[in-house]
Amino acid sequence: MKIKLIRTFAEEFSLSSLNEDLERDEISFTTFTAASSSSPSRFFIGFNLTLRIEEQNQFAVKYLAEFESDSEATPEVLENNSFVQVNAPAIAYPFLRAFIATIMLNAGYEPPMLPAVNFQALYQKRVSSKNKDNT
């Protein structure tokens, strides 16, 4: 399967008073996939991220990356294809990091240093968890 990044964008984001119980420097982070309704060869990798900013604030974002594939991107393919689950988020993650750094800097805050993410390990954990559930 070959994929090509089409675009990235923030579907929603906010900077608000802390309403989650986040420790300093703690990040709440999840990824998801979604098939595109406009084209069977397009799909989205999404990130939901919340992080604590200074003492009493938090930044939250739902960030999407749209990809085009050389084959049909059905929900089953997206969920079970290791190439999609590992490489697409790895391609999109630097754009998310740059977006957050720019927003924070423009809002008058020190840009956070987001950690590197091992998407291969996250995928393996998800697969082994799913296999445990099926036994």
Side-chain angles (χ1 to χ4, degrees), residues 7-121:
R7 66 184 178 131
T8 63
F9 60 98
E11 187 170 78
E12 57 187 58
F13 62 93
S14 65
L15 180 60
S16 60
S17 296
L18 193 63
N19 61 14
E20 288 189 29
D21 193 22
L22 293 173
E23 297 292 324
R24 180 175 283 291
D25 299 328
E26 182 183 359
I27 297 172
S28 169
F29 177 80
T30 59
T31 62
F32 61 92
T33 58
S36 173
S37 59
S38 65
S39 170
S41 64
R42 291 199 176 186
F43 65 94
F44 295 93
I45 295 294
F47 301 93
N48 288 314
L49 184 139
T50 304
L51 62 112
R52 185 172 176 163
I53 303 295
E54 295 184 353
E55 290 302 315
Q56 298 297 320
N57 297 313
Q58 73 178 20
F59 178 78
V61 64
K62 180 178 182 182
Y63 194 81
L64 299 172
E66 184 176 12
F67 288 87
E68 187 167 53
S69 169
D70 63 349
S71 57
E72 190 172 349
T74 65
E76 295 78 27
V77 168
L78 296 178
E79 184 66 28
N80 299 313
N81 186 299
S82 63
F83 186 78
V84 168
Q85 291 289 323
V86 173
N87 293 314
I91 291 167
Y93 187 65
F95 292 93
L96 169 65
R97 290 173 78 173
F99 171 78
I100 292 171
T102 301
I103 290 292
M104 293 287 77
L105 187 62
N106 287 337
Y109 294 93
E110 193 69 29
M113 298 306 285
L114 297 180
V117 176
N118 184 338
F119 291 102
Q120 179 68 42

